[in-house]
Amino acid sequence: MTVNDDSFTNWMHREEIAESMIPIIGKLHREQDVNVLLHSRSLVNKSVVSILKTHRFARQIAGEELSVTETMPFLKALTTLDLGPSQIDIGMLAATYRADGRGLSVEEFTAEAVAGATGDNKIERRASRDVVLYGFGRIGRLIARLLIEKAGSGNGLRLRAIVVRKGSGQDIVKRASLLRRDSIHGQFQGTITVDEATNKIIANGNEIQVIYSDDPTTVDYTAYGIKDAILIDNTGRWRDREGLSKHLQPGIGKVVLTAPGKGDVPNIVHGVNHDTVKPDERILSCASCTTNAIVPPLKAMAEEYGVLRGHVETVHSYTNDQNLLDNYHGSDRRGRSAALNMVITETGAASAVAKALPELKAPITGSSIRVPVPDVSIAILSLRLERETTREEVLDYLRNVSLASPLKRQIDFISAPDAVSSDFIGSRHASIVDAGATKVDGDNAILYLWYDNEFGYSCQVIRVVQHVSGVEYPTYPAPAV
């Protein structure tokens, strides 16, 4: 047998194992509300090739490829346990088992590592929490996709309605079409039908009521059977407490804004300050996509090295706020064609750091350039540190943060030398450290942080909503503190 034959046989063997993983992962998700992860990446509803690629990607962060032959025994071990709602990372189980020298069997080690989610320790499956989307633009439709994707277990969050201003002619059909197909993020994974008689979109069996209104104070959500819902405002039309309070109509319990909040509205970056949200807080903001991209790595660097001052320069994809061709705009430069120009503009991300990370006293400045790409941005974070270090030390530290810290869902890590912006479309992390571009000279460090300013940010919004809903389930093995 030739080397090529050996490689092909090995590939087919791994395909077979990955294929056998799918029903196990699906059953754990549906019946026990367990989300199986691989280094923070969900394996639920993934194809055979996607599972294999996720395993292979582990070499970018862990230094070596992870094989399905290594993780499959841990997945099988999970099926023997009395598991409650949780997120279980089989990549981390395999990695920590490899480093464990006690001679335990895979079954014994797995049972110990996830003990907090089993037997008397497991938490009860909670009833689903209603969610309403106010606005159905770029972020609204991606959040809808995520909510529908996560509804498989029948628990957690349930998208009940979207509120929009009615357009002319077949409005609901056109909105369903925009949900079904996206030029950047591809086709919706599933089926979508429309019931024009009742103004409903049915996506993978989820009935979503379309409510037409241009005034939030006129909607009684209880008339649609909606109660104690979390309303996600994707319009950005109101950003202070007074304006956002207009949403607190019958049937709405809390309001979450997908833009920086003003005044005393808490700006929340999941992984950094989500645990500061008070139980009785009814209005909060998820800050901006750029704030979510820079604050987690800034927190990580401050904890390890200390930060005296910093500057962030964001090279940001264009957005709907800009003009396709030159036309009038209220801002100084955003009226110039987004598709033809690099446009210098302002960013509030630097000033927002103080709200999300008040313990950081270092001054942070920022500016932004919009460029002619439709999605994925990069933040160049330049820091003056409290102590000198080396590039190798910083990269080792950030790689470990991305693998085993409480920030591993926010910070990703890549060492590929040929990575470009489009490679990060669909990333679920708040930001991705580009190892090859990182610069360190004594007490100066420059981090290049990629982020999908649409999808990655939408994932952060969902995490905040899950947290304030009480349906954010614990992750095992527990991240290192």
Side-chain angles (χ1 to χ4, degrees):
M1 181 179 287
T2 67
V3 173
N4 285 340
D5 287 337
D6 283 338
S7 298
F8 187 61
T9 300
N10 178 264
W11 170 260
M12 288 192 298
H13 176 59
R14 287 186 290 141
E15 267 191 326
E16 184 180 1
I17 294 174
E19 188 173 3
S20 66
M21 284 180 156
I22 293 174
I24 300 174
I25 293 167
K27 187 174 182 180
L28 285 169
H29 180 57
R30 286 190 306 274
E31 297 184 4
Q32 294 173 272
D33 218 359
V34 173
N35 184 19
V36 178
L37 310 174
L38 187 86
H39 288 315
S40 300
R41 291 163 169 80
S42 175
L43 297 182
V44 176
N45 292 328
K46 295 297 187 290
S47 67
V48 168
V49 172
S50 179
I51 290 173
L52 291 174
K53 286 181 68 175
T54 304
H55 278 74
R56 182 167 174 75
F57 185 80
R59 66 181 181 150
Q60 295 286 353
I61 48 179
E64 58 182 332
E65 185 172 341
L66 190 62
S67 172
V68 288
T69 59
E70 293 180 79
T71 58
M72 184 59 163
F74 296 95
L75 186 60
K76 286 182 176 178
L78 294 178
T79 65
T80 67
L81 301 174
D82 179 25
L83 290 168
S86 55
Q87 300 191 100
I88 299 179
D89 195 319
I90 58 174
M92 285 303 299
L93 280 174
T96 51
Y97 179 70
R98 195 184 303 151
D100 188 81
R102 293 175 295 164
L104 299 177
S105 68
V106 167
E107 292 75 17
E108 291 169 336
F109 182 84
T110 302
E112 179 183 275
V114 303
T118 61
D120 293 338
N121 295 325
K122 67 181 181 181
I123 60 178
E124 293 299 319
R125 299 179 73 175
R126 300 182 177 95
S128 60
R129 183 74 178 265
D130 290 350
V131 177
V132 173
L133 297 179
Y134 198 95
F136 205 51
R138 299 295 303 152
I139 300 301
R141 292 194 295 273
L142 290 177
I143 289 175
R145 286 188 174 201
L146 286 165
L147 289 170
I148 295 163
E149 170 193 298
K150 294 177 183 298
S153 64
N155 290 272
L157 304 173
R158 181 184 175 197
L159 177 57
R160 295 293 308 279
I162 63 173
V163 184
V164 291
R165 290 180 293 181
K166 190 165 188 176
S168 60
Q170 290 194 304
D171 178 274
I172 192 171
V173 173
K174 292 177 180 178
R175 294 187 189 278
S177 180
L178 285 168
L179 179 62
R180 184 181 292 114
R181 300 181 184 87
D182 190 283
S183 300
I184 296 169
H185 300 283
Q187 296 205 12
F188 175 81
Q189 297 300 304
T191 63
I192 293 176
T193 57
V194 172
D195 186 340
E196 292 186 76
T198 60
N199 286 334
K200 288 182 180 179
I201 296 173
I202 298 92
N204 290 358
N206 295 267
E207 293 190 0
I208 306 164
Q209 182 71 53
V210 178
I211 302 171
Y212 292 108
S213 175
D214 57 5
D215 181 355
T217 64
T218 64
V219 185
D220 180 355
Y221 294 94
T222 60
Y224 302 94
I226 297 169
K227 58 181 180 180
D228 195 30
I230 293 183
L231 183 144
I232 305 175
D233 184 328
N234 309 290
T235 68
R237 183 177 172 186
W238 304 277
R239 296 194 179 188
D240 59 12
R241 188 173 295 274
E242 180 182 2
L244 292 168
S245 294
K246 298 176 186 290
H247 291 302
L248 294 174
Q249 302 304 315
I252 301 300
K254 294 180 185 290
V255 178
V256 174
L257 172 65
T258 62
K262 295 181 178 180
D264 67 342
V265 174
N267 280 250
I268 304 302
V269 174
H270 191 275
V272 174
N273 67 336
H274 66 277
D275 55 355
T276 66
V277 179
K278 298 176 181 177
D280 61 349
E281 179 60 74
R282 301 188 70 189
I283 295 174
L284 54 97
S285 156
C286 290
S288 71
C289 55
T290 302
T291 302
N292 276 265
I294 66 173
V295 168
L298 188 55
K299 174 181 171 65
M301 291 297 287
E303 288 177 346
E304 180 66 18
Y305 301 103
V307 173
L308 296 175
R309 63 175 177 268
H311 176 80
V312 60
E313 189 77 33
T314 66
V315 183
H316 199 291
S317 57
Y318 59 75
T319 67
N320 274 331
D321 177 63
Q322 296 171 256
N323 289 333
L324 186 61
L325 294 172
D326 289 5
N327 207 349
Y328 174 80
H329 195 289
S331 297
D332 289 338
R333 304 181 200 240
R334 293 195 189 190
R336 301 299 299 277
S337 171
L340 298 175
N341 296 290
M342 292 189 291
V343 179
I344 298 173
T345 186
E346 70 283 346
T347 176
S351 59
V353 169
K355 281 192 170 185
L357 199 61
E359 63 269 27
L360 181 70
K361 304 305 180 184
I364 306 292
T365 57
S367 52
S368 179
I369 302 173
R370 297 287 179 93
V371 294
V373 295
D375 187 31
V376 179
S377 305
I378 190 167
I380 305 167
L381 186 59
S382 181
L383 302 174
R384 174 76 181 275
L385 306 176
E386 289 184 0
R387 68 176 176 87
E388 293 192 354
T389 182
T390 65
R391 181 173 181 271
E392 291 73 22
E393 182 187 345
V394 169
L395 290 178
D396 283 344
Y397 170 66
L398 291 176
R399 181 187 291 109
N400 288 332
V401 167
S402 74
L403 282 171
S405 83
L407 289 170
K408 67 180 184 177
R409 296 173 72 193
Q410 282 70 44
I411 300 175
D412 204 1
F413 187 94
I414 188 167
S415 57
D418 54 353
V420 294
S421 61
S422 61
D423 296 325
F424 304 101
I425 293 174
S427 169
R428 295 179 181 238
H429 288 78
S431 62
I432 306 100
V433 176
D434 191 312
T438 300
K439 307 278 191 296
V440 178
D441 182 10
D443 60 356
N444 289 295
I446 304 175
L447 308 182
Y448 286 73
L449 308 166
W450 298 101
Y451 58 108
D452 185 330
N453 49 277
E454 293 186 337
F455 197 74
Y457 175 67
S458 297
C459 289
Q460 280 288 89
V461 173
I462 289 292
R463 291 171 189 137
V464 170
V465 173
Q466 286 177 318
H467 177 72
V468 299
S469 303
V471 294
E472 184 181 34
Y473 298 139
T475 300
Y476 297 96
V481 177

